[in-house]
Amino acid sequence: MAGASSLYAGTAPAAAPQEGSVISLHVENDMFVGDDDNYTSGVRIGWMSGTTAESRTFSGMLGTVLGGTNASDSWRRFMGMNGSSNLRQQWGLDLTQLMFTPERKLREPIYGEHPYVGNLTLGLISLVKNEDRANVLELQLGTTGSPSLAKGSQHLVHKMWGMEQWPGWNNQLPSEMTANLFFKRYYRLRGLERHYGSGLETDALAYWHADAGTVKVQAGGGMTFRFGYNLGNTSPENSIRGATSAAPPFVYNRTSVSNWGYYGYLHASARAVAHDLYLDGTVFHSSPDYVNKYPVVAEWGYGFGVTYKRTEFLFGLHYITKEYTRQESLQCVGVLQLRHTF
């Protein structure tokens, strides 16, 4: 196995600066657009370590499977991480709660509508990246049912905002331990990068993902395009319903032209779904067949972001096509993200 020394021997020190650790708060909620059903809430608190090129670190050990500095030359090449002296790796943790409800507020089970589901997970993330590619692997362990705290969380939020309560949480999917692996590979699309002077620019990324476990068995891909001023090392593609990290997905070998930055973004993706616990029911416990899901789901969205020094705020609207046959219409979810790099 070749270590970091074989990768960097005889080369100049990496020109790109190391990045600090990152904390983030990510909220997805249909209440932002006046709705309150199906996928109704997602909250994630995340932390990522600072970047390192060292192999004898926790980031280096976790990053081995993703082509990090501790991997062999052949495996690094297979994972698309060869040919760059700016190879970086990070690791992180996140706590995520997802919540789903039917379209009508009834106490008894509603067949043909989304079941009540809560899922609370703890995730361990590994990120390996260079200037043009990134690999992200996340293991999420969690629970459905009452231990997910979804019923209490929704009750508290609705009480604070004076909203009507959902009475059917006693019919939520049963309590069950969940485990899922989420993998995502990013590509920086340099052909769409343009610099127009005075800090105005565009950039884009594409990705594909494959997920397997008791929660999701699916695969898909997508693309995000940004346009604005002083884009810097940020990314709005950061859905909490799959592999994600609080840290940006690429190494940027340049400095910002200003403390301030702003951008608009467009995003589109699609995925083929073989298993979805939130619609199909739990794996190891018997649960009713509430709905028939569609095998392909698409998503698109738009929004804006603002950065100041090392802090970024983002808000967007994302539209999700129907996920099951009797769903009334596609769904719109508001996305809010706050991220700070130390």
Side-chain angles (χ1 to χ4, degrees):
M1 178 176 288
S5 58
S6 64
L7 180 63
Y8 300 113
T11 64
Q18 297 288 355
E19 302 166 26
S21 58
V22 183
I23 59 170
S24 67
L25 171 66
H26 192 130
V27 178
E28 296 180 346
N29 201 301
D30 56 1
M31 186 175 67
F32 291 133
V33 292
D35 208 349
D36 196 21
D37 54 26
N38 293 305
Y39 174 48
T40 186
S41 176
V43 179
R44 171 171 289 183
I45 300 172
W47 169 85
M48 290 291 290
S49 70
T51 60
T52 179
E54 298 295 327
S55 58
R56 295 181 179 180
T57 60
F58 190 62
S59 296
M61 290 185 291
L62 283 182
T64 302
V65 71
L66 299 177
T69 56
N70 209 35
S72 67
D73 291 335
S74 58
W75 184 250
R76 192 180 300 115
R77 189 177 304 109
F78 177 77
M79 296 301 293
M81 292 292 112
N82 61 308
S84 171
S85 61
N86 284 320
L87 190 61
R88 300 286 190 266
Q89 47 213 0
Q90 296 170 268
W91 75 279
L93 297 169
D94 61 57
L95 184 65
T96 305
Q97 185 186 63
L98 301 180
M99 192 182 306
F100 303 82
T101 58
E103 294 178 331
R104 292 179 293 166
K105 292 182 174 71
L106 297 180
R107 188 174 300 276
E108 64 273 10
I110 309 173
Y111 298 98
E113 297 186 17
H114 205 300
Y116 282 88
V117 191
N119 191 200
L120 182 67
T121 63
L122 178 65
L124 174 65
I125 313 159
S126 178
L127 168 63
V128 175
K129 61 187 180 182
N130 60 27
E131 300 96 327
D132 296 301
R133 291 191 182 185
N135 294 323
V136 183
L137 183 67
E138 179 167 7
L139 170 64
Q140 288 186 1
L141 301 177
T143 180
T144 58
S146 298
S148 72
L149 307 179
K151 176 182 178 181
S153 297
Q154 188 182 65
H155 179 84
L156 177 63
V157 171
H158 281 220
K159 183 177 181 180
M160 289 174 58
W161 289 90
M163 300 171 62
E164 184 180 357
Q165 297 290 347
W166 286 82
W169 275 104
N170 289 337
N171 300 306
Q172 66 179 305
L173 294 187
S175 301
E176 179 174 292
M177 297 298 295
T178 61
N180 231 86
L181 273 175
F182 298 91
F183 174 80
K184 184 178 288 184
R185 175 173 288 183
Y186 289 97
Y187 301 87
R188 185 175 175 184
L189 302 180
R190 290 188 179 270
L192 294 177
E193 291 187 0
R194 296 288 187 273
H195 302 276
Y196 300 99
S198 302
L200 296 176
E201 51 191 317
T202 63
D203 67 9
L205 62 81
Y207 66 89
W208 63 266
H209 67 90
D211 314 321
T214 64
V215 180
K216 295 278 189 178
V217 178
Q218 61 182 12
M223 176 180 172
T224 298
F225 176 76
R226 295 193 305 166
F227 49 92
Y229 170 74
N230 188 29
L231 296 182
N233 192 8
T234 63
S235 170
E237 198 300 302
N238 203 20
S239 173
I240 61 178
R241 287 161 284 134
T244 186
S245 74
F250 303 116
V251 174
Y252 271 63
N253 187 13
R254 69 183 179 93
T255 57
S256 298
V257 298
S258 170
N259 287 333
W260 287 96
Y262 55 84
Y263 60 84
Y265 76 88
L266 302 171
H267 173 72
S269 65
R271 61 185 186 272
V273 185
H275 168 69
D276 185 341
L277 177 148
Y278 307 129
L279 295 172
D280 297 328
T282 48
V283 175
F284 302 110
H285 293 78
S286 177
S287 56
D289 294 327
Y290 283 89
V291 298
N292 295 316
K293 71 174 184 298
Y294 286 119
V296 177
V297 179
E299 183 172 340
W300 64 93
Y302 58 89
F304 67 90
V306 178
T307 60
Y308 178 68
K309 294 184 178 180
R310 297 188 174 190
T311 301
E312 178 181 12
F313 172 81
L314 174 148
F315 182 78
L317 296 177
H318 285 213
Y319 297 84
I320 307 169
T321 60
K322 292 182 180 181
E323 297 184 85
Y324 57 92
T325 54
R326 295 177 64 180
Q327 187 173 347
E328 290 184 354
S329 62
L330 61 81
Q331 186 170 18
C332 181
V333 177
V335 177
L336 184 150
Q337 180 178 301
L338 182 63
R339 176 166 56 189
H340 179 74
T341 302
F342 291 93

